[in-house]
Each structure stands twice: as structure tokens, then as C-alpha cells.
């Protein structure tokens, strides 16, 4: 199945399921159901069943599912069961915050190096991730087969750094800048658009006014 | 019209339209069309017409729309034409990065104060926004009629700070923590879920493998 068949909204729900499953497991449970997830997450049960079916999980309605089976199905479907090498460019406040997350544990995405142009930052490390000069990017990305580029630079240099990432074999760019990126058709861009979230938030505020 | 009638996906598209309109205006244009936006943003023209109609914008297909009229219609629909007082709690790397954004110019959301529990941060300022002790939150929020709380604390204290925000009259919480927040039904929570974006990104990567 290609991603095109499944809506982004569906994909965006899976991490919430995983989060909930982990908490249920921690509370000592071995089995759970779409019904229980529905109660915990305020998502309709039918929706959850449908989402779980997409991952290939077989249902046993009476008993529910073994939690570890559910986790494995979702992780495999999202590709979070595999290591993916990731490089971050732009170690400002936002970049530093991103380096502080432990994405690897949950997603398999490991940030193995960070890059900046500032002499004051090169040679330092954040969360054990070393900061290199941007001129080392291409060689290191090719050698380590980096797949994912995390873009936390100022907007003004976003396209220039994107071009460098693409030339260096990066296959997906997680774009935290406001700049709309131009990339070849075989490169994925996932924009983190804070303004999109604010649009939802303020429109909901208006509806309550 | 209530927000419930319009999908979040639709709402999330408007900031991209605004961004594009601003660039067209800067390039010296006075009028533009759904067709032109479609070309620039790779969103289907029918979709754009539909989205613009929701804001109440009247179409004149031949000439297109005056760009300033389009901007005004979207800004009004999103409630971005009004000042909204916002307080941020948690001045770590992420909080500092958020304080660096100039949301006010585009959205009317003005971060007027930041709060932290660290003695080293209280009294400092970032981007001209002063940092106060958390014990000042309630009094200041009530006095300044703060509507929006931005939550960039560690997850462990997310619910505690949320309770404080709700008690202080905050009507919407922009949640950057991974913690699922419990709030009364009249309070809005908009989660910034980085893992949701990563789910989309890695699933698209798999589809190309």
C-alpha cells in the first residue's frame, strides 16, 4: 500500500495510539481493545478499528489485541522499527531544542550529527550530538548514508541548505523554517508549520466567543 | 459558521495562502486569482476556490481578487485581525525559540510575558519579552486578560501548569509538550505533535523504498 492511499490525518493519529499503548502497558496490562483506546483518546472506536486494520493488525473482538502486537503493527507500518540516520542543520534555540528530543527511542530516527556555520558552536555537543561545520555536511552525509535532514536554519538560507542536503543524498527534509522548499520529486518535505496550528486555535476561539 | 463545520485541514491551509499573497503583493501585484495561488502552492484550484468562499470572499473570476481583500477576508475569518494577549510558560530551548518568533505581526497573537521557575531566568528578557516567576502568572493573566497560554515546560509539570492557566482564565492552550492535557470543555487545546509529522515523513519514505 502506498501512502497516497492513506490520509495524512490518519498517519498523524498513529503516534497518539502508540503513546496510549505504552501507558497501558506500563500500567501492567497485556491486552487492550479499540474500545479502550477510544475511551482514552476521545477518538471514535470505528475510526480506531479502521486505522488499526490499515496496519494489517488482525482483530479478535472479544479479547482485544495483545498490546505488544498492536505496537509492533503500528511501528512496522510507519517504518519506525528501523534505524534512520538523520542530520540537523542550524543549531539556534529551535535546533538545540530539537537535539534535546530522544526521537530515536520511539521512531528509529537517530540524529547523529548537527551542523552550523558559527565558529562558536562548531566542536560543541548537545545531548551528545556533536556540532560540525556546514562544509563537512556532504561528505559525512554520503559516508553515513543520512536519509533525513532536519532544517532549523534561518529562512534566508533554507533553500541553499536544502540544495546541499539534496545533493548529499538526503531523501526527506523535516522543514522547521517558514520557507517553502523546492526539491526534486523524489525528495520528501514535511513542513512543521506553527502558523497552521495557530489558525486552528484562533478559529476555535472565535467559535466560542 | 462554527469551526466544527470546517475541517482542521482547511484551516491549516489558510496561513499558506496568506504567505503566498504577501509574496505576490511584495512583487508588485495588486490582483491575483485562485488559479495563480494554485500554481504557486500546488493545491488544486477547486480546493482554493472552496477555501476562499468559506471566508466569505466574493469571486470575480475574470479579474481575480484584489490581494488586500483576500488577505483581509482570511485574517478576519481566522480572527487574526485582533490582538490576543498570550503568556508563555517554560523558557527552555524550545520556549526561547518560540519567544523569538514574531507571531503578532501575522496573527495578532502577542506574547507579552514569559514565566519560569528558574531563579537564573527570572528578570531576564528574550526578544524584549520579560521572564517572570510562575507565582506571578495568575495575577498577571487576570489583570491583562490573557487568552492564550503557550506551554513549553517539561512534560512532568504540563498538567500542573495547565491547571494554573485554566484557573487564571486562559481560554486556549498551545501545547508543545507530549503530555495529553485535561481541560474543561470550554478550554481549547492545540497540540503541536512533532511525532505526528514524523509519522507522515517516514511513511512517505517507505512508500518510495
Amino acid at each position: 500500500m502506498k501512502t497516497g492511499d492513506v490520509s495524512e490525518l490518519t498517519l498523524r493519529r498513529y503516534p497518539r495510539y502508540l503513546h496510549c499503548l505504552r501507558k497501558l502497558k506500563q500500567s501492567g496490562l497485556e491486552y487492550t481493545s479499540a474500545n479502550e483506546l477510544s475511551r482514552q483518546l476521545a477518538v471514535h472506536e470505528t475510526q480506531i478499528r479502521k486505522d488499526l486494520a490499515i496496519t494489517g493488525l488482525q482483530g479478535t473482538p472479544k479479547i482485544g489485541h495483545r498490546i505488544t502486537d498492536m505496537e509492533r503493527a503500528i511501528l512496522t507500518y510507519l517504518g519506525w522499527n528501523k534505524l534512520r540516520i538523520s542530520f540537523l542543520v542550524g543549531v539556534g534555540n529551535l535546533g538545540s531544542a530539537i537535539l534535546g528530543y530522544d526521537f530515536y527511542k520511539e521512531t528509529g530516527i537517530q540524529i547523529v550529527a548537527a551542523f552550523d556555520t558559527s565558529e562558536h558552536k562548531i566542536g560543541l555537543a548537545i545531548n551528545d550530538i556533536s556540532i560540525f561545520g556546514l562544509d563537512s555536511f556532504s561528505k559525512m552525509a554520503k559516508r553515513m548514508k543520512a536519509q533525513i535532514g532536519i532544517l532549523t536554519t534561518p529562512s534566508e538560507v533554507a533553500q541553499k541548505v536544502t540544495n546541499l542536503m539534496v545533493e548529499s543524498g538526503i531523501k526527506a527534509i523535516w522543514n522547521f523554517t517558514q520557507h517553502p522548499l523546492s526539491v526534486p520529486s523524489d525528495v520528501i518535505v514535511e513542513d512543521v508549520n506553527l502558523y497552521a496550528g495557530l489558525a486552528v486555535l484562533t478559529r476555535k476561539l472565535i467559535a466560542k466567543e
Side-chain angles (χ1 to χ4, degrees), chain A residues 88-99 115-116 121 126 152-154:
Chain A
L88 178 143
V89 179
V91 191
N93 278 321
L94 184 61
S96 301
I98 298 300
L99 291 175
F115 299 84
D116 205 284
K121 293 173 186 168
I126 292 176
T152 48
T153 63

Side-chain angles (χ1 to χ4, degrees), chain A residues 37-103:
Chain A
L37 286 180
S38 172
R39 254 201 307 275
Q40 299 252 349
L41 294 169
V43 172
H44 200 287
E45 193 182 334
T46 320
Q47 181 77 74
I48 294 181
R49 281 192 202 289
K50 218 168 117 184
D51 291 348
L52 291 177
I54 288 171
T55 68
L57 194 73
Q58 300 294 326
T60 46
K62 284 276 168 56
I63 325 169
H65 302 276
R66 195 185 288 270
I67 293 176
T68 50
D69 291 345
M70 296 171 88
E71 282 185 302
R72 194 180 310 114
I74 296 174
L75 290 172
T76 306
Y77 181 72
L78 295 180
W80 287 8
N81 56 340
K82 280 197 211 171
L83 170 68
R84 287 173 206 277
I85 302 293
S86 170
F87 283 9
L88 178 143
V89 179
V91 191
N93 278 321
L94 184 61
S96 301
I98 298 300
L99 291 175
Y101 280 80
D102 189 9
F103 294 113

Side-chain angles (χ1 to χ4, degrees), chain A residues 79-191:
Chain A
W80 287 8
N81 56 340
K82 280 197 211 171
L83 170 68
R84 287 173 206 277
I85 302 293
S86 170
F87 283 9
L88 178 143
V89 179
V91 191
N93 278 321
L94 184 61
S96 301
I98 298 300
L99 291 175
Y101 280 80
D102 189 9
F103 294 113
Y104 174 66
K105 207 177 64 183
E106 296 187 39
T107 68
I109 295 170
Q110 186 153 36
I111 308 178
V112 297
F115 299 84
D116 205 284
T117 50
S118 159
E119 291 296 335
H120 304 294
K121 293 173 186 168
I122 296 168
L124 301 178
I126 292 176
N127 197 16
D128 286 337
I129 301 163
S130 297
I131 304 168
F132 301 90
L134 195 55
D135 48 355
S136 310
F137 186 93
S138 194
K139 212 171 169 181
M140 286 178 68
K142 286 173 188 168
R143 197 181 64 221
M144 303 182 78
K145 298 195 197 314
Q147 277 195 301
I148 298 172
I150 304 175
L151 191 63
T152 48
T153 63
S155 286
E156 301 82 69
V157 297
Q159 187 59 52
K160 206 176 121 194
V161 172
T162 295
N163 297 346
L164 174 67
M165 286 181 170
V166 171
E167 285 158 23
S168 310
I170 292 285
K171 288 294 163 216
I173 297 173
W174 201 18
N175 177 25
F176 283 80
T177 78
Q178 274 243 272
H179 192 82
L181 306 179
S182 298
V183 294
S185 61
D186 63 334
V187 173
I188 293 150
V189 173
E190 176 65 21
D191 294 310

